[in-house]
């Protein structure tokens, strides 16, 4: 995502079904490689208290891996894996809807 500016990437992720905070957290984790809620919140410009919920949702979608430690740490899946996950989810939603 380094060749796309942050706001464009966030807007695209939102069109694929992520909330703004989820998109910001995912993008921050791609930049960091891994991080705690405090680290992610600082890079993502998301309140630390909101990082937890966004990261949990990303984990449910298969876009982030959560390491149960103190403090909890998060690691993103690869961009290719994220693309596949999001497009598959979008396709399933379209199929269920129509």
């Amino acid at each position: 995502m380094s060749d796309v500016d942050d706001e464009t990437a966030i807007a695209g992720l939102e069109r694929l079904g992520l909330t703004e905070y989820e998109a910001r957290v995912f993008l921050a984790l791609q930049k960091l490689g891994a991080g705690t809620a405090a680290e992610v919140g600082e890079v993502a410009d998301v309140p630390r208290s909101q990082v937890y919920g966004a990261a949990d949702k990303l984990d449910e979608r298969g876009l982030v891996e959560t390491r149960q430690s103190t403090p909890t740490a998060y690691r993103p899946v690869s961009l290719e894996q994220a693309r596949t996950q999001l497009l598959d989810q979008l396709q399933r939603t379209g199929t269920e809807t129509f």
Side-chain angles (χ1 to χ4, degrees), residues 28-84:
L29 282 167
Q30 287 296 326
K31 291 177 180 180
L32 291 168
T36 64
E39 294 165 337
V40 171
E42 189 172 313
V43 172
D45 195 27
V46 171
R48 184 179 62 178
S49 62
Q50 298 298 312
V51 170
Y52 296 106
D56 286 346
K57 290 290 186 185
L58 290 169
D59 192 354
E60 289 172 15
R61 287 175 168 260
L63 301 175
V64 165
E65 297 170 358
T66 302
R67 187 178 72 210
Q68 298 303 325
S69 57
T70 304
T72 302
Y74 304 98
R75 186 172 68 88
V77 298
S78 71
L79 287 177
E80 186 57 39
Q81 187 175 347
R83 179 187 359 250
T84 300

